[in-house]
């Protein structure tokens, strides 16, 4: 293992090491970016109570299936567990910041527990939330999910590859993150006029012709829709760039949730 001089930062774990269990030493305060990136042999890791930060992409693609985040950890970086084999996660009381795509493409992750003493994160109906943001909804969750009133942001990759049929978005939501519904198997969705910013990738499919849903019901006017700030991340490589081209966008819809009966509305087919 490679550490910094005072052994408070774990920099890298050898790719060729064949142990299936690694216990991070006491005294380690930070695991640096990519430290365990795409290791094929590591099945389990135990983190010390001295650990304060897990960096970006630390366990990206690792075959670990479970992990306990100690109370001492304050921050978890972008993509820290992305594409890992996680099935269960326990989050301690001290966590203050989780990047929005920390569990991106974790298709097996269904069991998330958060300490009751954590002041920043909680589990509601099986979904990981902060006070303002939907962080992660397990891919295996089905049926209809209603985002709690008061939530203002849907985080990056929050509903990626979701098997939900419907997601009800309250009119407190103002922001929809990058790839928030990437490859989600939604039938239809209602977007409230409260949404002021989203990504061009928010409702994308990895490939344009694999879009699952056809209808977007919008409670505002066409002018309101066109005034939404669209962030074009991903457009340069051709992926997601025309994700709304085949969608029917229904404006002025008098409905809060898609499961309600739709009334009113003007229809437009095409992009923003």
């Amino acid at each position: 293992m490679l550490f910094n001089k005072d052994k408070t930062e774990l920099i890298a774990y050898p790719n060729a090491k064949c142990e299936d269990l690694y216990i991070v030493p006491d005294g380690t305060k930070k695991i640096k970016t990519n430290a365990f990136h795409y290791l094929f042999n590591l099945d389990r890791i135990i983190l010390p109570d001295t650990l304060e930060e897990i960096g970006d992409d630390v366990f990206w693609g690792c075959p670990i299936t479970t992990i306990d985040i100690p109370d001492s950890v304050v921050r978890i970086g972008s993509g820290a567990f992305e594409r890992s084999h996680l099935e269960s996660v326990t989050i301690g009381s001290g966590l203050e910041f989780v990047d929005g795509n920390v569990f991106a493409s974790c298709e097996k992750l269904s069991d998330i527990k958060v300490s009751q003493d954590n002041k920043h994160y909680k589990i509601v109906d099986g979904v990981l939330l902060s006070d303002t943001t939907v962080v992660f909804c397990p891919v295996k969750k089905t049926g209809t999910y209603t985002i709690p009133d008061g939530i203002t942001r849907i985080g990056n990759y929050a509903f990626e590859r979701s098997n939900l049929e419907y997601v009800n978005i309250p009119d407190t939501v103002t922001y929809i993150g990058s790839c928030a519904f990437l490859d989600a198997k939604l039938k239809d969705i209602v977007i409230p006029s409260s949404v002021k910013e989203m990504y061009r990738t928010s409702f994308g499919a990895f490939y344009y012709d694999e879009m699952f849903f056809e209808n977007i019901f919008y409670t505002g006017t066409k002018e309101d829709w066109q005034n939404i700030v669209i962030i074009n991340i991903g457009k340069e490589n051709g992926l997601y760039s025309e994700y709304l081209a085949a969608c029917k966008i229904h404006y002025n819809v008098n409905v809060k949730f898609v499961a309600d009966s739709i009334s009113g509305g003007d229809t437009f087919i095409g992009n923003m």
Side-chain angles (χ1 to χ4, degrees):
M1 265 60 65
L2 178 63
F3 285 85
N4 65 345
K5 189 174 182 179
D6 63 4
K7 294 187 178 181
T8 58
E9 296 185 356
L10 196 166
I11 299 171
Y13 184 93
N15 285 333
K17 199 170 180 63
C18 295
E19 294 178 344
D20 58 1
L21 167 65
Y22 178 63
I23 301 174
V24 178
D26 287 337
T28 303
K29 294 183 178 181
K30 182 177 181 179
I31 302 177
K32 299 278 281 186
T33 297
N34 293 325
F36 294 89
H37 186 274
Y38 219 48
L39 291 173
F40 294 104
N41 298 316
L42 188 64
D43 295 327
R44 188 175 173 218
I45 189 163
I46 297 176
L47 304 177
D49 292 336
T50 56
L51 189 65
E52 298 173 359
E53 182 176 348
I54 299 172
D56 297 348
D57 299 323
V58 165
F59 297 104
W60 197 102
C62 283
I64 56 174
T65 58
T66 184
I67 196 162
D68 292 336
I69 310 297
D71 294 338
S72 56
V73 172
V74 176
R75 183 186 187 280
I76 303 177
S78 172
F81 298 98
E82 184 172 348
R83 296 185 181 274
S84 70
H85 296 184
L86 279 177
E87 298 175 7
S88 65
V89 173
T90 300
I91 296 173
S93 62
L95 191 63
E96 297 178 4
F97 176 81
V98 171
D99 189 273
N101 64 328
V102 65
F103 298 120
S105 300
C106 289
E107 297 187 35
K108 297 180 180 180
L109 180 55
S110 59
D111 181 20
I112 308 174
K113 297 182 177 67
V114 177
S115 169
Q116 292 183 347
D117 296 326
N118 191 296
K119 298 178 181 179
H120 302 280
Y121 293 93
K122 57 190 174 184
I123 298 295
V124 177
D125 195 18
V127 177
L128 179 62
L129 306 174
S130 73
D131 290 336
T132 61
T133 304
V134 180
V135 178
F136 177 78
C137 177
V139 172
K140 293 181 179 180
K141 189 173 179 64
T142 59
T144 298
Y145 175 68
T146 299
I147 297 172
D149 285 334
I151 293 293
T152 60
R153 298 169 65 88
I154 300 176
N156 299 343
Y157 294 88
F159 294 95
E160 180 202 15
R161 302 185 184 182
S162 173
N163 283 291
L164 290 166
E165 292 185 9
Y166 301 109
V167 174
N168 294 327
I169 302 175
D171 57 13
T172 54
V173 170
T174 60
Y175 170 91
I176 302 176
S178 174
C179 302
F181 294 92
L182 178 67
D183 288 331
K185 298 175 179 61
L186 301 176
K187 290 187 175 180
D188 298 306
I189 195 162
V190 174
I191 300 178
S193 58
S194 59
V195 172
K196 305 301 180 186
E197 183 177 8
M198 63 183 181
Y199 285 75
R200 207 166 174 82
T201 63
S202 293
F203 295 93
F206 193 77
Y207 296 104
Y208 160 70
D209 60 356
E210 294 180 357
M211 287 291 289
F212 289 99
F213 64 95
E214 297 181 355
N215 294 292
I216 293 177
F217 298 96
Y218 181 63
T219 63
T221 66
K222 182 176 179 180
E223 182 180 4
D224 293 335
W225 177 261
Q226 292 174 336
N227 285 332
I228 295 174
V229 175
I230 302 296
I231 303 170
N232 288 316
I233 299 299
K235 186 176 180 182
E236 68 280 356
N237 63 12
L239 298 178
Y240 329 119
S241 62
E242 301 302 325
Y243 74 99
L244 285 179
C247 289
K248 294 179 182 179
I249 304 172
H250 307 263
Y251 303 107
N252 299 304
V253 174
N254 184 24
V255 65
K256 184 174 182 180
F257 297 143
V258 76
D260 299 336
S261 57
I262 303 294
S263 63
D266 306 314
T267 301
F268 174 76
I269 301 177
N271 285 316
M272 300 288 292

